[in-house]
Amino acid sequence: MTPGQDGSGRGRPPGEPRGVGWLYVLPALLVYAAFLLWPLVRGVWFSLYEWDGISTGTWAGLSNYTKTLSDPSLRAAFGHALILVVFYAVIPCLIGFVLVGAVSRSRIRGLTFFRTVLFLPQVVAMVAVAVAWQWVYSADGLVNGLLRGLHRLGLPDWSRGWLGDFTFALPAVGLIGTWVEIGLAMVLFLAGVQKIPRELYEAARIDGAGPVREFLAVTLPGLRRELAVALTLTSAAALRNFDLIFVTTKGGPGETTKVPAYEVYNRAFNTGEVGLACAIGVTLAALIFLLTAGVSRLAEGRQA
């Protein structure tokens, strides 16, 4: 008879019986199912109907998904979201790596204050961030004021209505995302670099490694997990971006800054296409899942 088979309960491994553990997590699972899984299931069901949200819907099958993939306006919205991934995820992580690389080679005074200032945009409501940057980009705002000052020094006049420019509106919104997400990437990378043994850096320097070689051989492999977390969080933030677009541009000028999350709102509440809005939302959720899963596998060096 093996330990624990005599009915006394002695000799059982930690965590047995398993049913007790499930009882502890059951309340959280019920909340998760009620506020996430059930709305997701209902959204998938609504996406199979032509429905305006008021009258009786008619069965549409996969036609809403076909329209999501074939409509040029909707395809452009998904393209804009992928461009924002560059500003929200790629650029902040690159800047974070540069800053962490500098920190790993020398000790910087006031690092705690520096880290707090960089992380501050993460705790500010995105609506407040959007309102503040509307002023920064306005005709009399900080950016145009600096550019006019450079123009007086003999440089070309680059001032413009940034959020109303067909060419620069999307990059302008993307740079707001870069400013917000740099702090998150920096804090994650700083926490990770502190776990890397200093002996590895000393050994690399003894071998004659320069800053770039040291970063590639020591810092980057040691930050692989932190990179996966940073890219996952920032990529998801870029793809589900709504409040920043809604406050700053409302998808304009024209359709140059429309993104899928804004299209969900627009189709459901402005044009009465609730079924199509649900199909866009489900497609966006699938895209977020695929992108974040792929980023995690690549960043962690796993083989598919």
Side-chain angles (χ1 to χ4, degrees):
M1 180 178 294
T2 59
Q5 289 184 342
D6 57 356
S8 63
R10 291 176 295 180
R12 286 176 174 170
E16 294 290 347
R18 296 292 183 183
V20 175
W22 283 106
L23 288 177
Y24 282 109
V25 301
L26 183 60
L29 287 177
L30 291 176
V31 173
Y32 181 79
F35 292 98
L36 185 66
L37 296 182
W38 177 242
L40 180 60
V41 171
R42 293 290 289 175
V44 173
W45 179 249
F46 291 153
S47 70
L48 302 177
Y49 284 83
E50 292 286 349
W51 185 41
D52 60 4
I54 300 175
S55 60
T56 303
T58 58
W59 178 260
L62 298 177
S63 64
N64 285 325
Y65 291 96
T66 302
K67 185 175 181 179
T68 299
L69 300 176
S70 62
D71 189 320
S73 176
L74 295 177
R75 287 206 310 269
F78 279 94
H80 297 157
L82 294 177
I83 292 173
L84 290 180
V85 170
V86 176
F87 286 96
Y88 273 68
V90 178
I91 296 177
C93 287
L94 290 177
I95 296 175
F97 274 138
V98 171
L99 296 177
V100 167
V103 169
S104 65
R105 292 188 64 86
S106 60
R107 296 189 177 276
I108 300 177
R109 292 184 178 182
L111 183 59
T112 301
F113 174 78
F114 178 64
R115 181 168 49 192
T116 302
V117 170
L118 282 178
F119 192 75
L120 188 60
Q122 286 288 319
V123 299
V124 178
M126 188 58 74
V127 172
V129 170
V131 172
W133 276 87
Q134 273 187 309
W135 172 80
V136 171
Y137 282 135
S138 66
D140 299 325
L142 179 62
V143 173
N144 283 328
L146 291 174
L147 293 176
R148 292 192 187 100
L150 294 175
H151 177 59
R152 296 189 188 98
L153 297 177
L155 294 177
D157 186 6
W158 290 314
S159 62
R160 65 189 68 242
W162 295 96
L163 296 176
D165 190 282
F166 280 82
T167 302
F168 293 99
L170 186 61
V173 172
L175 287 175
I176 301 174
T178 301
W179 177 77
V180 171
E181 302 298 340
I182 283 177
L184 175 63
M186 183 67 179
V187 168
L188 288 172
F189 295 160
L190 282 176
V193 80
Q194 291 173 359
K195 298 185 297 183
I196 301 175
R198 302 303 301 179
E199 293 80 4
L200 295 178
Y201 287 104
E202 294 173 1
R205 291 166 189 170
I206 291 173
D207 290 338
V212 177
R213 180 63 179 172
E214 179 184 301
F215 174 79
L216 295 176
V218 180
T219 306
L220 184 57
L223 295 179
R224 185 170 291 171
R225 291 184 179 274
E226 286 74 16
L227 175 61
V229 174
L231 286 176
T232 299
L233 294 177
T234 53
S235 297
L239 292 174
R240 59 181 173 79
N241 182 12
F242 168 75
D243 38 10
L244 184 60
I245 295 292
F246 182 79
V247 174
T248 55
T249 65
K250 288 184 169 56
E255 296 184 349
T256 54
T257 60
K258 281 190 176 180
V259 291
Y262 182 83
E263 278 296 296
V264 171
Y265 162 81
N266 182 49
R267 302 285 176 151
F269 296 103
N270 292 336
T271 64
E273 299 172 280
V274 177
L276 179 60
C278 290
I280 299 170
V282 172
T283 304
L284 178 62
L287 178 61
I288 293 174
F289 175 80
L290 292 175
L291 183 61
T292 54
V295 163
S296 297
R297 294 181 72 88
L298 289 174
E300 293 178 6
R302 299 176 181 175
Q303 294 181 355

